[in-house]
Amino acid sequence: LAKTTQPISMDSYEGQEVNITCSHNNIATNDYITWYQQFPSQGPRFIIQGYKTKVTNEVASLFIPADRKSSTLSLPRVSLSDTAVYYCLVGAFGGGFKTIFGAGTRLFVKA
Amino acid sequence: EAGVVQSPRYKIIEKKQPVAFWCNPISGHNTLYWYRQNLGQGPELLIRYENEEAVDDSQLPKDRFSAERLKGVDSTLKIQPAELGDSAVYLCASSLGGNNEKLFFGSGTQLSVL
């Protein structure tokens, strides 16, 4: 299983773009990269998933370089409500995708 | 569409007592997960079901933890007897399974063992 490394915490201000980078040096060919968001007293919520290059949805963008050894979650124009813990997961589908969470990145958005 | 439903929301028990958590996954989701989350840490997988079969229970402490998923729908996670170190949030999640591993989580059950 590919191990992931993320910053423990990050601070930002409202309206700024936030980029959270995740390192996964031993990612396997079949592995996808998935990000979840967790608010206090709630379960994690799926944000975005990708395999290579760039993926964008209504919430965030995910940038994956060609070597796939890292990925960056980009949150455009954050608000106070984006204060949460963000988890980067790496794994393959089928045959037992082991959805293993690390400690995540605690993002604090200030006014 | 209803999300993953868990109950109870909170549970306080004394050590050595039994406790059970219940989970109702999203309709049609074949895969069900139980996670444990300690304060300040990410969720830790305990067990994963494909329909009614437990396909990954390698992280489940089998001396005191048990789980079942009758008829491949609802699931129950039990601890007997509970220990102080079992205090945590127990999360249930479900997914369509197969090549779609987007997980949907419930709000969890916060267990306090005194």
Side-chain angles (χ1 to χ4, degrees), chain A residues 97-108:
Chain A
F97 183 121
K98 289 185 178 291
T99 313
I100 297 178
F101 291 77
T105 298
R106 298 179 183 278
L107 173 66
F108 297 94

Side-chain angles (χ1 to χ4, degrees), chain A:
Chain A
L1 297 174
K3 180 180 177 180
T4 60
T5 303
Q6 305 174 233
I8 295 175
S9 66
M10 296 180 65
D11 290 345
S12 182
Y13 289 92
E14 282 189 296
Q16 289 187 334
E17 178 184 75
V18 171
N19 296 309
I20 306 175
T21 298
C22 178
S23 296
H24 28 80
N25 291 319
N26 59 339
I27 188 170
T29 302
N30 295 333
D31 286 345
Y32 280 72
I33 300 156
T34 311
W35 287 80
Y36 284 83
Q37 173 192 57
Q38 187 176 26
F39 298 114
S41 301
Q42 295 185 25
R45 181 176 73 106
F46 173 92
I47 300 177
I48 197 166
Q49 184 177 76
Y51 182 80
K52 62 180 179 179
T53 64
K54 176 184 176 181
V55 179
T56 298
N57 61 22
E58 65 278 5
V59 177
S61 293
L62 178 59
F63 298 92
I64 306 170
D67 66 5
R68 304 201 326 122
K69 294 184 182 299
S70 68
S71 59
T72 300
L73 174 71
S74 181
L75 304 172
R77 300 181 59 79
V78 294
S79 63
L80 296 176
S81 63
D82 292 317
T83 294
V85 179
Y86 292 82
Y87 296 98
C88 167
L89 285 73
V90 174
F93 292 142
F97 183 121
K98 289 185 178 291
T99 313
I100 297 178
F101 291 77
T105 298
R106 298 179 183 278
L107 173 66
F108 297 94
V109 180
K110 306 173 185 177

